[in-house]
Amino acid sequence: MLEPNAATTRIATWNVNSLRVRLPHVLQWLESNPVDILALQETKLNDPDFPIDEITSAGYKVVYSGQKTYNGVAILSRQDAADVLTEVPGLDDPQRRFLAANFGDIHVVNLYVPNGESPESDKYTYKLNWLEHVRAYLEGALAAHSRVVVVGDFNIAPDDRDVYDPEAWRERILCTTTERNAFRGLLDTGLQDTFRRFNDAAGNFSWWDYRAAAFRRRMGLRIDHILSSAALIERCSECVIDTVPRGWERPSDHTPVVATYT
DNA sequence: ATGGTAGAACATCTA
C-alpha cells in the first residue's frame, strides 16, 4: 500500500441526485475522504442557489453549471480551477451536463451523460448525439493535454460484468450495444476505464435503483466511471467504488468512485 | 403486474 504524500492526487465522482438534499452527505464523506477533486452530477440547483459557503468552509473551491430541477454539474477542488468550460463545443444544449477545467497540470472533464429513457425515445437520439460531441471534444483535449481525466455518471454499463442480471438488461437502456459502442468510442480517443485496470470481476456497481430494495438485494449497475489518459493511468495506484454512502440515511441512488494518482 | 421509490415545478416529469 502506498503511503499518502504530497504528490498523491485523489479524484472522485458522485451523482448526488439533488445537492440540496445531499450536501450533508457530501460534507460527511469529504471528512473521511479528503480527495483533491470531487466531481458532482445532478446538483439540481440554479447557480445563485449553490451552497458556496458550506463548501468553502470545508476547505474546497468550487465551480458549477446548474439549472433548476434537473441536471447540474459541479467540481469541488483544493486548488483553483482554470480555463473553465461549461458547454460541449459545437453542441447547442440548454441542459447543464458538462463541466471541464484545469487543476494544475490535470484537465478534468465532468459529465452527466443523458439517461436516454429507452432505445425508442427521442432522448436516446439526444444521448448518442451528445456522446458523439463529447467524443470529438475529448480528441482535442487529449491532443492539448497529457493528463486528462474524464469522470461522471455515464449512464452506460460498459459490459455484462457491470450488470447484476445481464440477460434481463439485454439491449435495455444503459446496456444497448449502441451505447456500449459509444462508450468504447470515448475510450478510443486515448482513455482507459480506470476501475477495470485494477478489477476484472463482475458484480461491482455504482448505482442501485431506489425501488424494489435494489441495494440490499445487490441489484446494481456500474454506470459511474473514471477514464484516465495514458500519462495518468501509469500513475494510478488505485480505483475503488465506495459503497458506504449508499447505505446511509436518505442516500443518493449513486455512490462515489475514487481514483488515486501518485 | 411496464410494477416499485425518490426529487423536483408538487402534477407530472425524470431517473
Side-chain angles (χ1 to χ4, degrees):
Chain A
M1 162 139 181
L2 283 157
E3 289 296 320
N5 59 63
T8 297
T9 300
R10 280 192 291 170
I11 300 179
T13 179
W14 193 2
N15 179 324
V16 292
N17 186 20
S18 169
L19 186 56
R20 202 186 301 277
V21 173
R22 237 66 72 183
L23 180 61
H25 302 65
V26 170
L27 297 177
Q28 183 177 337
W29 187 79
L30 285 172
E31 276 189 29
S32 46
N33 300 271
V35 296
D36 299 278
I37 293 169
L38 172 59
L40 303 178
Q41 303 87 36
E42 282 204 273
T43 54
K44 299 186 176 180
L45 290 172
N46 269 327
D47 288 349
D49 299 326
F50 200 90
I52 306 169
D53 293 344
E54 292 89 337
I55 285 166
T56 301
S57 297
Y60 286 88
K61 324 269 189 184
V62 64
V63 290
Y64 42 87
S65 176
Q67 66 183 94
K68 188 172 61 174
T69 307
Y70 300 120
N71 310 314
V73 282
I75 304 175
L76 283 57
S77 58
R78 291 298 195 189
Q79 57 181 312
D80 277 312
D83 306 310
V84 179
L85 196 56
T86 62
E87 305 280 347
V88 186
L91 186 68
D92 184 16
D93 185 10
Q95 301 191 24
R96 303 293 81 193
R97 298 178 173 275
F98 178 91
L99 189 59
N102 295 322
F103 301 89
D105 62 0
I106 301 181
H107 184 66
V108 176
V109 181
N110 180 16
L111 306 179
Y112 176 44
V113 177
N115 173 283
E117 190 178 45
S118 76
E120 297 75 32
S121 171
D122 289 344
K123 296 184 188 123
Y124 186 73
T125 309
Y126 165 65
K127 177 179 195 172
L128 296 173
N129 182 58
W130 196 93
L131 285 164
E132 174 51 29
H133 281 80
V134 168
R135 191 203 59 76
Y137 171 75
L138 293 177
E139 282 190 345
L142 284 152
H145 306 275
S146 169
R147 297 182 175 189
V148 177
V149 59
V150 185
V151 307
D153 176 359
F154 287 68
N155 270 315
I156 300 172
D159 66 54
D160 283 354
R161 294 171 298 172
D162 304 312
V163 184
Y164 69 92
D165 185 345
E167 293 313 318
W169 281 78
R170 188 73 59 211
E171 296 303 329
R172 282 177 56 190
I173 198 65
L174 315 184
C175 298
T176 67
T177 301
T178 304
E179 290 165 277
R180 288 175 169 177
N181 287 341
F183 184 80
R184 291 237 55 98
L186 300 182
L187 299 185
D188 288 344
T189 64
L191 297 163
Q192 283 195 43
D193 180 344
T194 312
F195 180 80
R196 285 298 180 209
R197 180 170 174 84
F198 301 99
N199 193 329
D200 289 334
N204 290 280
F205 308 131
S206 66
W207 170 82
W208 300 259
D209 200 299
Y210 283 121
R211 297 164 288 190
F215 180 61
R216 182 179 58 73
R217 298 161 68 191
R218 303 174 190 240
M219 298 166 63
L221 272 62
R222 191 176 69 95
I223 56 176
D224 300 270
H225 306 299
I226 297 180
L227 313 185
S228 302
S229 65
L232 276 179
I233 203 93
E234 68 182 20
R235 292 184 160 276
C236 188
S237 57
E238 187 178 56
C239 184
V240 297
I241 304 173
D242 180 4
T243 58
V244 171
R246 186 62 179 80
W248 289 349
E249 286 293 317
R250 211 179 179 192
S252 169
D253 46 352
H254 297 250
T255 210
V257 184
V258 190
T260 304
Y261 304 92
T262 58

